[in-house]
Amino acid sequence: MDTSFAHVTELAKTKYHRKSDRYINYGTAGFRTKAADLTHIMFRMGLLAVLRSKYKKATIGVMITASHNPVEDNGIKLVDPMGEMLAANWEHYASELANVTDSEVKTVLNKIIQEATIDMSEKSNIFLARDNRPSSVTLASAFLEGVSCFKSHFHDFGEMTTPMLHYVVRCENTQKRYGKPTEDGYYEKLGEAFLKLRGSKPSCPGLYKPRLILDAANGVGAEKVCLLKHHLNDALDIEVLNDGSDGILNHECGADFVKTRQKLPTGLPLKVGDRYVSFDGDADRIVYFYIDKNSKFHLLDGDKIACLVAKYLKDLLNTCELDLKLGNVLTAYSNGSAKEYISKTLGVDVACTPTGVKHLHHKATEYDIGIYFEANGHGTVIFSGHAEDVILNTAGNTELPIEKRVAAQKLCTLVDLINQAVGDSISDMLLIETILHSLGWDVEKWSNIYQDRPYSLCQVKVKDKSIFKTTFDEQRLIEPKELQDAIDELVAKYTEGRSFVRASGTEDIVRVYTEAKSLDEVKQLSFAVCEKVYDIGHGVGDRPVRSA
Ligand code: 16G
Ligand code: ZN
């Protein structure tokens, strides 16, 4: 083992030398920054991924992507054996290893090996995938050179969406019970479940039409949806646009752009009556939208998706008369109307966690069936082992009335259609299309299940975002206390007003979310809160301006 360590140190000091001493943190979605600053981190993460694999005695996944961020950025995140995010204590190891000097790399590796009592003679295996950023190819080689220092097995899947990588990792570590750990295995599993759920029902029941226009953010999802189409037997008519052939990744398109700007992406021909869907760059977020006959833009974000899914699952559970606890996990960014629809109209439990997939996912495991969605369109459904058993038994119980068995069979097939490892644009899209088809709804009918309370999301640049400390659910500031007092005073002036401030985990800014009874009130309140953030929170650059 000593020889490989010598090689590690040599490479760390030469080819993968750390060029800047700026601190970089393993944040909510791994390391993310300018691609040019990531080479040494990739190499070091190659080393860490092997340690993690030996420690867990399982295949570990690694995704090279910066999701919805601009094309010149990149990032890396590690995926644990069941396709879940890396455990928190290893996030600390990752940050530590990324930030030490070149000559300290070996010391930190040894420290991790000792602290976690890792047997270095254990086998290890890494699954690697990347998005379609030009920088991803060289960053992947740097990563693999780290992996090779420890002579580990690995499989490089090349370009894949983030959720596909999570899927193959989970398949591999469940001895393929979850599915075949290949790209084709993924399409086959989803395609088969989707077609089974469509059954022999007409392709256009009620208001539903199978035509769908996809804004793929010029990301890796575009090619994958085209490949998936071969497995859908023309049941969906998907036109893939912003497919990367001439546009720039995430530039004025994609789920993040559409949600944060609340406007149409470029590159799409718009037609009243059509249903549109946007993925983000690595295809783990999804939002829908349409324009009505007055050319007004309507967004159906993660909240609307969560509500649709909750309604469908609740109806199926009612039909089966199954006593399974269904819950919906959202964040502070979820619209007040969505929370009200889920808890009051549907009678489904709502829980709120901090931002970041790992928090929502974790909370969702507390239910028999846990739905989780961030308003930005990242989410999925997870079924407990108990729920899967109960559903399977009900589906196969010939003594039960046929309608109960049919509903339970649908639930069984949904388990296969849903990527339980992580939010997945492709799987979520197929789920939403299944539900709309089953209800005979068009996008307008779905949109009208409730009306969003008017809201806005702004950002303020400050000197030091780390001074902003929030309560667990992120709805209030603990510090600066003076700022929270000022916000309380402002909010009290508005009926149905709500506003909270939180430091972004991915950008050097503070986010301000505001809701109120009318858009005009939202603008006033949001502006007033942004000004307080700027004044009390040491804003830098231009003062906030009131939006028109
Ligand atoms: C990351 C998170 C996403 C969260 C977003 C918040 C993962 C895989 N992704 O993209 O869940 O909504 O950060 O960004 O955890 P912010 O901290 O800048 O508001
Ligand atoms: Zn993403």
Side-chain angles (χ1 to χ4, degrees), residues 28-29 77 85 285 355-357 374 376 502 504-506 511:
T28 29
K77 64 180 166 193
M85 302 293 171
R285 287 192 197 178
T355 302
V357 173
E374 290 190 299
N376 62 25
R502 161 188 166 270
S504 157
T506 61
R511 298 197 194 283

Side-chain angles (χ1 to χ4, degrees), residues 32 65-69 77 162-163 279-285 378 425:
R32 216 175 266 188
T65 180
S67 184
H68 58 279
N69 292 121
K77 64 180 166 193
T162 296
F279 289 1
D280 73 337
D282 63 335
D284 62 356
R285 287 192 197 178
H378 188 122
S425 315

Side-chain angles (χ1 to χ4, degrees), residues 142-349:
F143 173 83
L144 288 177
E145 208 152 344
V147 170
S148 302
C149 280
F150 287 142
K151 303 193 172 36
S152 172
H153 292 281
F154 68 86
H155 184 82
D156 182 358
F157 284 89
E159 283 184 19
M160 258 193 182
T161 69
T162 296
M164 286 165 102
L165 187 265
H166 285 254
Y167 162 87
V168 287
V169 169
R170 189 169 171 131
C171 291
E172 183 70 11
N173 288 313
T174 52
Q175 282 70 47
K176 310 189 178 34
R177 274 195 311 279
Y178 193 67
K180 267 194 261 163
T182 61
E183 190 168 331
D184 272 341
Y186 172 87
Y187 301 133
E188 280 161 22
K189 183 177 175 186
L190 264 55
E192 214 172 280
F194 178 76
L195 291 176
K196 202 164 163 191
L197 284 159
R198 289 245 140 168
S200 50
K201 224 174 155 184
S203 59
C204 299
L207 300 168
Y208 182 82
K209 290 198 192 73
R211 177 167 164 75
L212 188 62
I213 296 156
L214 169 65
D215 154 28
N218 295 311
V220 64
E223 186 208 347
K224 304 307 175 194
V225 168
C226 293
L227 293 169
L228 171 82
K229 281 207 274 185
H230 302 301
H231 297 260
L232 300 181
N233 293 357
D234 297 325
L236 273 183
D237 168 17
I238 313 175
E239 187 177 351
V240 182
L241 295 171
N242 291 337
D243 63 354
S245 52
D246 54 6
I248 301 169
L249 176 71
N250 297 324
H251 182 65
E252 298 196 337
C253 61
D256 191 65
F257 174 86
V258 175
K259 168 70 184 163
T260 51
R261 307 284 185 87
Q262 295 193 51
K263 66 178 198 188
L264 296 164
T266 52
L268 303 188
L270 290 165
K271 211 174 111 216
V272 175
D274 270 344
R275 184 164 72 251
Y276 297 85
V277 57
S278 279
F279 289 1
D280 73 337
D282 63 335
D284 62 356
R285 287 192 197 178
I286 181 171
V287 295
Y288 273 67
F289 57 90
Y290 70 99
I291 44 167
D292 67 19
K293 52 183 186 307
N294 302 316
S295 301
K296 187 168 179 256
F297 166 76
H298 296 265
L299 174 68
L300 296 97
D301 60 4
D303 288 345
K304 274 269 157 78
I305 297 171
C307 291
L308 182 74
V309 174
K311 176 189 160 39
Y312 186 64
L313 290 178
K314 173 88 182 173
D315 287 352
L316 284 177
L317 287 175
N318 283 349
T319 312
C320 305
E321 291 179 12
L322 286 181
D323 186 23
L324 290 172
K325 186 139 177 65
L326 178 66
N328 210 319
V329 186
L330 301 167
T331 73
Y333 292 106
S334 294
N335 198 276
S337 298
K339 290 182 192 155
E340 218 171 274
Y341 178 83
I342 296 169
S343 58
K344 299 212 176 115
T345 312
L346 299 179
V348 169
D349 204 51

